[in-house]
Amino acid sequence: MNLTLQDLAWHRSVGHLVETLDKPGFWLALVRLLDQYVPFDSWVALLFSNGRPQVFAECPGEDGGPDPLFQDYLKGLYLLDPFYIASREAPGSGLFQLADVAPECFEQTDYYQRYFRLNVVADEVQFNVQLEKERTLCLSLGTKGRFSAEQITLLDLLRPWVAGLMRQRMTFERELLEQATPPAPRWQSRLEETVEALQTPLTARELEVGRLMLSGCSSKEIARKLAISAETVKVHRKHMYSKLGIKSQSELFSLFLQAQS
């Protein structure tokens, strides 16, 4: 068996990471190692559950402090994140690309235009490690360009090491894990309050159609997810817009943002 210098360097670096598993700088050391093989522009290590995501570590904002856009994400925008949605609908371990999980019209959404491309930039991949209690440990990497097929292949080759290290790290994240899971924001209730004055509350189906619209699902995708016809989806959308006194998806997104404040 012939090992290259690059092979030796990788194994030496992994050995160093094992030694830092219980240290505060573990996540930074891990992403710096990955960046040597596949460059990226942003990253975050977090835990998805049925409540708000819990953040273990993240890359700093441009001023070196917390990224204000990412704080908006944690307040409730994560409910529109295709990676978060996928982790709830089809939980599992692996390496996932944005193209694997994004709905058909994702790049046309206000979420993509006003948050994703400004904060996550253009493309994203995510290492997922499925844990007990419907929790998913995630390491997300974002880039201003697009990850190439070769880069994705390399990340997938590194995935067993990365996933193993991530899982072992959970032993040393007890303090965060012992905290109660923060409750998910009820943006639906804000919409309901908006229309209560009109005595025309939104139905559960209308709320679900609205959420799927905001996440980037086309009428056909919504119809398939809810087992209804595309025409019925359009009827729900028309009724919802009428009740809320709005005329566009952008106005619906604005109501969604108001519900997070």
Side-chain angles (χ1 to χ4, degrees):
M1 179 178 180
N2 295 320
L3 293 176
T4 66
L5 289 177
Q6 190 174 30
D7 291 331
L8 294 172
W10 167 257
H11 285 87
R12 180 177 180 179
S13 297
V14 170
H16 173 69
L17 279 172
V18 171
E19 294 178 350
T20 64
L21 276 169
D22 61 342
K23 304 295 192 301
F26 166 78
W27 292 108
L28 181 58
L30 175 58
V31 296
R32 283 178 173 173
L33 174 59
L34 292 174
D35 190 56
Q36 294 177 24
Y37 292 85
V38 177
F40 47 87
D41 300 296
S42 62
W43 63 273
V44 61
L46 70 172
L47 188 73
F48 285 157
S49 66
N50 290 325
R52 292 180 189 266
Q54 295 173 280
V55 179
F56 295 118
E58 62 178 298
C59 61
E62 293 183 358
D63 61 355
D67 190 325
L69 279 176
F70 188 63
Q71 299 310 305
D72 290 338
Y73 174 87
L74 294 176
K75 289 178 182 178
L77 283 179
Y78 70 88
L79 291 168
L80 304 180
D81 177 5
F83 287 98
Y84 174 82
I85 294 171
S87 78
R88 301 301 88 202
E89 294 182 347
S93 300
L95 179 70
F96 297 90
Q97 297 177 248
L98 179 62
D100 296 330
V101 298
E104 183 178 340
C105 302
F106 177 63
E107 293 189 5
Q108 301 170 26
T109 63
D110 286 86
Y111 171 79
Y112 178 86
Q113 296 295 333
R114 296 166 62 176
Y115 170 77
F116 187 93
R117 71 184 184 88
L118 298 179
N119 189 61
V120 183
V121 290
D123 200 6
E124 184 177 6
V125 296
Q126 189 162 282
F127 292 96
N128 281 4
V129 177
Q130 194 61 34
L131 306 174
E132 73 287 346
K133 299 180 181 179
E134 300 183 2
R135 299 180 302 177
T136 307
L137 175 61
C138 312
L139 176 61
S140 291
L141 311 177
T143 176
K144 295 178 180 178
R146 297 282 181 182
F147 289 108
S148 67
E150 291 78 10
Q151 290 175 322
I152 295 298
T153 298
L154 180 53
L155 288 173
D156 200 36
L157 288 172
L158 300 180
R159 179 179 57 83
W161 283 280
V162 175
L165 288 164
M166 290 171 61
R167 188 179 294 276
Q168 291 300 315
R169 172 64 184 181
M170 296 307 291
T171 305
F172 305 101
E173 297 287 3
R174 293 192 187 94
E175 182 176 345
L176 184 59
L177 291 177
E178 288 173 357
Q179 297 175 9
T181 302
R186 289 285 298 167
W187 71 271
Q188 295 96 329
S189 64
R190 178 62 64 89
L191 295 182
E192 290 166 351
E193 291 171 6
T194 302
V195 296
E196 269 183 6
L198 303 176
Q199 297 183 340
T200 54
L202 297 179
T203 65
R205 183 50 57 88
E206 288 166 348
L207 288 167
E208 187 64 10
V209 167
R211 183 187 69 80
L212 291 171
M213 285 172 50
L214 290 176
S215 69
C217 291
S218 65
S219 293
K220 290 183 178 179
E221 286 178 308
I222 296 174
R224 185 175 66 252
K225 285 178 177 286
L226 301 182
I228 58 179
S229 70
E231 288 303 315
T232 301
V233 172
K234 293 177 182 178
V235 170
H236 285 310
R237 180 178 62 195
K238 180 179 179 181
H239 288 170
M240 178 174 54
Y241 281 9
S242 176
K243 291 177 180 180
L244 295 174
I246 61 177
K247 297 180 179 180
S248 69
Q249 190 168 311
S250 289
E251 290 180 276
L252 181 63
F253 184 74
S254 294
L255 286 176
F256 178 92
L257 290 181
Q258 291 174 23
Q260 313 314 312
S261 60

